[in-house]
Amino acid sequence: TALLEARGLRVEYGATVALDAIDLALAAGSRTAVMGPSGSGKSSLVHALAGIVPLSAGEVWLEGGRLDTLSEARRSRARLARMGMVFQFGDLVPELTLVENVMLPLQVLGTRAATARRRAVEVLEQVGVAEVADRRIGAVSGGQAQRAAVARALAHRPAIVLADEPTGALDTVSSEQVMDALTRLSVDQGTALVVVTHDHRVAAHLDDVVVVRDGRISVGIPA
Ligand code: ADP
Ligand code: ADP
């Protein structure tokens, strides 16, 4: 069975149909780029797969269980425990250090502070920002902050990481560093990866491409 699966997914915002009739199955350890024009529904797809936006129709299955029908509390818990999220920018706490940002979700999941700190330092080393680990997010470069976001998304060894334009605000060099970090950690941990991107150089780091157009999948994953 698929790790994460969408069946007949439909998402509406008022009168706007953002997604319709989406079927998608992502295998454990798979690495998928989601591409397509601006406004085509890519963010909505990632947010629907994460159980963040309500569905107008369809189902989302995570590891063989329905995600979309869980209570809000159970859905949040499943997302926190089994998924990692990376956004374009701004979802780290700027006043906290890189280490503290990476520790937060671990501690929410019940890891003791000392253990969480050790793990945070380890993952920050793996993404190549150990030397700035004790600086505040607000005091490091955008590329370093995004590598911290990658570390935070993977520190609890989730089954899948969903990244929405993770390099959208970065220059080419930083973008490559972020994608190297993201794919290397995912491969090491056997984590599946979904990356929304406009950039073919980013997609080149991944194995499959799904193209979304006008709320539908126009190019899917070959069976
Ligand atoms: P993409 O990520 O490909 O740019 P989105 O999923 O962000 O596409 O948006 C898909 C469509 O849904 C667009 O027409 C967008 O304007 C609309 N949309 C997205 N979020 C909202 C929202 N919160 N309220 C209303 N319309 C939205
Ligand atoms: P992206 O294309 O990177 O997903 P957007 O700029 O489309 O980012 O969307 C940024 C935020 O604005 C998202 O939270 C999205 O849900 C919301 N949004 C997008 N389109 C609309 C819209 N037409 N009406 C209201 N909110 C929207």
Side-chain angles (χ1 to χ4, degrees):
T1 69
L3 171 67
L4 183 60
E5 189 168 356
R7 296 185 191 158
L9 205 71
R10 181 176 170 96
V11 172
E12 299 170 23
Y13 305 103
T16 304
V17 179
L19 289 176
D20 192 29
I22 300 287
D23 294 312
L24 183 64
L26 302 166
S30 59
R31 285 181 294 281
T32 307
V34 176
M35 304 192 77
S38 188
S40 59
K42 305 181 297 298
S43 282
S44 299
L45 176 56
V46 162
H47 287 91
L49 290 173
I52 295 170
V53 298
L55 310 182
S56 309
E59 304 172 352
V60 175
W61 292 73
L62 173 64
E63 297 177 317
R66 278 291 282 279
L67 184 65
D68 58 289
T69 52
L70 292 179
S71 68
E72 177 68 42
R74 284 169 184 267
R75 201 149 23 91
S76 298
R77 178 78 193 180
R79 182 190 317 122
L80 265 173
R82 304 302 297 154
M83 297 180 173
M85 309 282 298
V86 183
F87 300 96
Q88 188 165 341
F89 58 82
D91 63 312
L92 297 166
V93 184
E95 296 80 13
L96 296 183
T97 67
L98 277 66
V99 170
E100 288 164 346
N101 268 279
V102 176
M103 287 173 68
L104 272 180
L106 293 169
Q107 292 187 273
V108 169
L109 288 167
T111 307
R112 291 171 49 245
T115 309
R117 179 173 294 276
R118 263 201 311 279
R119 174 65 180 153
V121 169
E122 175 184 57
V123 190
L124 287 165
E125 279 169 6
Q126 288 173 331
V127 301
V129 293
E131 73 280 7
V132 292
D134 291 316
R135 287 204 207 153
R136 286 177 299 104
I137 288 293
V140 300
S141 72
Q144 289 170 329
Q146 278 306 74
R147 281 188 277 164
V150 166
R152 188 188 56 172
L154 281 133
H156 63 298
R157 302 181 187 282
I160 186 163
V161 166
L162 303 170
D164 190 356
E165 299 274 9
T167 66
L170 302 179
D171 61 47
T172 306
V173 171
S174 304
S175 179
E176 283 298 309
Q177 289 172 337
V178 166
M179 286 310 297
D180 280 342
L182 188 53
T183 47
R184 189 149 22 82
L185 265 191
S186 301
V187 170
D188 284 356
Q189 297 185 186
T191 309
L193 199 51
V194 176
V195 180
V196 172
T197 184
H198 287 104
D199 187 342
H200 283 90
R201 288 168 300 191
V202 168
H205 286 264
L206 305 160
D207 300 322
D208 303 313
V209 179
V210 164
V211 180
V212 181
R213 268 182 214 290
D214 294 331
R216 295 189 175 245
I217 290 179
S218 73
V219 178
I221 301 169

